[in-house]
Amino acid sequence: AQKITQTQPGMFVQEKEAVTLDCTYDTSDQSYGLFWYKQPSSGEMIFLIYQGSYDEQNATEGRYSLNFQKARKSANLVISASQLGDSAMYFCAMTGSGNTGKLIFGQGTTLQVKP
Amino acid sequence: EAGVVQSPRYKIIEKKQPVAFWCNPISGHNTLYWYRQNLGQGPELLIRYENEEAVDDSQLPKDRFSAERLKGVDSTLKIQPAELGDSAVYLCASSLGFGTVYNEQFFGPGTRLTVL
């Protein structure tokens, strides 16, 4: 069975500094996708970044980058130059087996950016 | 482009009462998902639709939960009767399709249900 583990319930970062949110996953599939979503207090899940298991380069989207280490089964999110608006809950997720479209989510990490 | 629309945003009911949630996906998105998110947890899939067909409802508690997606567009999720443990945020998401590992899902704002 697939599983996503986020071991940091809460994180603090100073404004303008970089922060890394940890994510490890478990799957027996060879082909899978990894996602990061942001959930602000308003509740909506906002897609941030995607990494495919066969992608050789780490994904980047603006201030977001995904540090993908396949052998270690980790997919950490790096946010550079943190902003106050980055304060939110962050979820790591992966596609379920069989390409069904189902997303398996971790328990999330709460990030607070300090001014 | 309009996003996924859900209503109501908040609902408070007494236990044993029925409740329904409505979702309008992004235009053209064939796949629709209902997730439940308990407090402090990540979302968990309840049911997935491909057009009007429910293709994955293995996590849906069928004794009290039901869902439908008429004409392959809007969807309604119903609970009858509600129990205290049903208090959660119910998220609707949609995507263009499935069948690939890249399947970006667009989420609505959710309905926060409180059962008293």
Side-chain angles (χ1 to χ4, degrees):
Chain A
Q2 291 159 305
K3 186 177 181 180
I4 294 282
T5 302
Q6 295 180 255
T7 58
Q8 306 156 311
M11 291 279 287
F12 290 92
V13 64
Q14 206 68 33
E15 191 178 9
K16 300 182 184 178
E17 292 187 349
V19 62
T20 297
L21 306 184
D22 294 341
C23 171
T24 58
Y25 60 92
D26 189 22
T27 182
S28 57
D29 288 349
Q30 297 300 310
S31 179
Y32 51 88
L34 295 158
F35 300 76
W36 277 92
Y37 280 86
K38 172 185 178 181
Q39 188 175 42
S41 56
S42 59
E44 189 169 347
M45 300 284 281
I46 302 168
F47 167 75
L48 295 178
I49 195 167
Y50 165 81
Q51 179 85 40
S53 59
Y54 291 119
D55 293 341
E56 294 184 352
Q57 292 191 334
N58 288 339
T60 61
E61 289 286 348
R63 295 186 299 111
Y64 304 107
S65 60
L66 198 152
N67 184 1
F68 181 47
Q69 298 187 42
K70 194 170 183 177
R72 298 179 61 183
K73 292 189 175 180
S74 73
N76 298 339
L77 177 70
V78 181
I79 305 175
S80 62
S82 296
Q83 303 173 356
L84 296 178
D86 293 335
S87 295
M89 191 83 159
Y90 288 81
F91 290 96
C92 181
M94 70 181 302
T95 43
S97 59
N99 294 335
T100 63
K102 174 181 178 179
L103 283 177
I104 310 294
F105 286 86
Q107 290 193 315
T109 296
T110 300
L111 177 66
Q112 292 194 31
V113 181
K114 295 181 176 181
Chain B
E1 178 181 292
V4 177
V5 179
Q6 289 188 251
S7 69
R9 290 295 312 276
Y10 305 92
K11 189 75 175 178
I12 300 174
I13 60 172
E14 299 279 340
K15 63 180 180 182
K16 300 184 182 180
Q17 294 298 307
V19 65
F21 316 124
W22 175 80
C23 173
N24 179 245
I26 293 173
S27 177
H29 281 193
N30 298 323
T31 309
L32 184 145
Y33 312 78
W34 283 103
Y35 289 86
R36 177 168 60 186
Q37 186 177 18
N38 293 317
L39 186 64
Q41 305 285 323
E44 293 181 324
L45 182 71
L46 289 174
I47 189 168
R48 175 171 67 92
Y49 280 93
E50 291 301 325
N51 298 304
E52 64 274 8
E53 182 182 0
V55 294
D56 184 358
D57 62 355
S58 57
Q59 301 301 313
L60 190 72
K62 297 181 182 64
D63 58 334
R64 298 183 298 108
F65 285 65
S66 64
E68 61 181 7
R69 189 182 185 196
L70 299 176
K71 300 182 180 179
V73 183
D74 295 358
S75 178
T76 302
L77 178 68
K78 298 178 181 178
I79 308 175
Q80 182 172 11
E83 297 179 352
L84 296 177
D86 296 331
S87 294
V89 175
Y90 291 82
L91 292 164
C92 178
S94 69
S95 67
L96 279 173
F98 72 107
T100 66
V101 292
Y102 178 67
N103 179 40
E104 183 181 346
Q105 296 180 23
F106 296 82
F107 285 80
T111 296
R112 184 177 296 275
L113 173 67
T114 301
V115 182
L116 302 176

